[in-house]
């Protein structure tokens, strides 16, 4: 699994031209799923996102997590995170999981992060055309790959 995680002061989704969820303060997570992703990836990534200390404490040091601040989390499926641009100029998405594999993993991830966070999680609709609007705070943007745990 790959995730681009952005600390935001606000975010909203439009799903297939219809207004979707909106949030104030927290994390927007763009999530890409590969064929090999499974329970271990889900467990590790969910815990990592919930515990990432990317919010300022009283001294202005990034020392607090989204759990600590009571922030919201929005998850958006993003198969293009597994694009390969090695050959030519048209990206290949062959590494991204097919919907029949990715959808159950995406749903399991949503369930796990709800449990780890201890509250509802906002999310998009897998496979839908979505517009993501966000105000990146900092800016703080992180990239995580469960196969490369750096």
């Amino acid at each position: 699994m790959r995730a681009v995680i952005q600390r935001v002061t606000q975010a909203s989704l439009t799903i297939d031209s219809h207004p979707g969820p909106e949030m104030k303060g927290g994390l927007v997570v763009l999530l890409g799923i590969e064929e090999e992703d499974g329970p271990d990836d889900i467990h590790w990534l969910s815990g990592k996102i919930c515990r990432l200390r990317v919010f300022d404490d009283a001294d202005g040091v990034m020392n607090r997590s989204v759990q600590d601040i009571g922030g919201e989390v929005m998850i958006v499926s993003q198969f293009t995170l597994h694009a390969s641009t090695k050959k030519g100029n048209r990206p290949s998405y062959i590494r991204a999981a097919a919907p029949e594999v990715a959808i159950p993993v995406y749903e399991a991830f949503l369930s796990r992060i709800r449990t780890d966070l201890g509250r509802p999680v906002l999310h998009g609709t897998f496979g839908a055309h979505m517009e993501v609007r966000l105000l990146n705070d900092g800016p703080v943007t992180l990239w995580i790959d469960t196969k490369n745990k750096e």
Side-chain angles (χ1 to χ4, degrees):
M1 298 177 96
R2 286 187 179 163
V4 172
I5 303 158
Q6 298 182 66
R7 184 179 77 180
V8 301
T9 56
Q10 62 185 21
S12 65
L13 279 178
T14 301
I15 304 169
D16 288 332
S17 301
H18 300 290
E22 296 181 6
M23 64 181 272
K24 299 221 183 270
L27 299 174
V28 171
V29 179
L30 305 177
L31 182 70
I33 299 167
E34 289 183 280
E35 294 282 336
E36 303 82 27
D37 292 331
D40 291 342
D41 300 284
I42 292 167
H43 178 78
W44 184 85
L45 184 59
S46 176
K48 181 63 78 172
I49 289 168
C50 291
R51 294 186 298 270
L52 275 174
R53 297 186 312 173
V54 295
F55 294 91
D56 292 347
D57 63 15
D59 297 322
V61 177
M62 286 195 284
N63 204 24
R64 300 179 74 207
S65 71
V66 70
Q67 289 177 310
D68 296 334
I69 67 158
E72 295 182 276
V73 174
M74 180 183 288
I75 309 294
V76 180
S77 62
Q78 184 87 34
F79 75 93
T80 60
L81 291 178
H82 288 289
S84 172
T85 58
K86 186 175 182 178
K87 291 174 72 177
N89 294 315
R90 184 172 183 261
S92 168
Y93 303 107
I94 194 130
R95 291 185 51 212
E100 58 272 9
V101 172
I103 291 171
V105 173
Y106 177 71
E107 291 173 353
F109 182 79
L110 290 176
S111 178
R112 180 63 195 217
I113 200 163
R114 277 186 212 109
T115 298
D116 288 347
L117 194 60
R119 60 181 168 274
V121 173
L122 305 171
H123 58 87
T125 302
F126 190 94
H129 181 269
M130 292 178 277
E131 296 174 1
V132 182
R133 290 180 183 84
L134 59 88
L135 187 56
N136 194 314
D137 183 22
V140 174
T141 302
L142 303 169
W143 182 84
I144 296 178
D145 190 318
T146 62
K147 304 297 189 266
N148 191 17
K149 298 182 173 88
E150 291 184 353

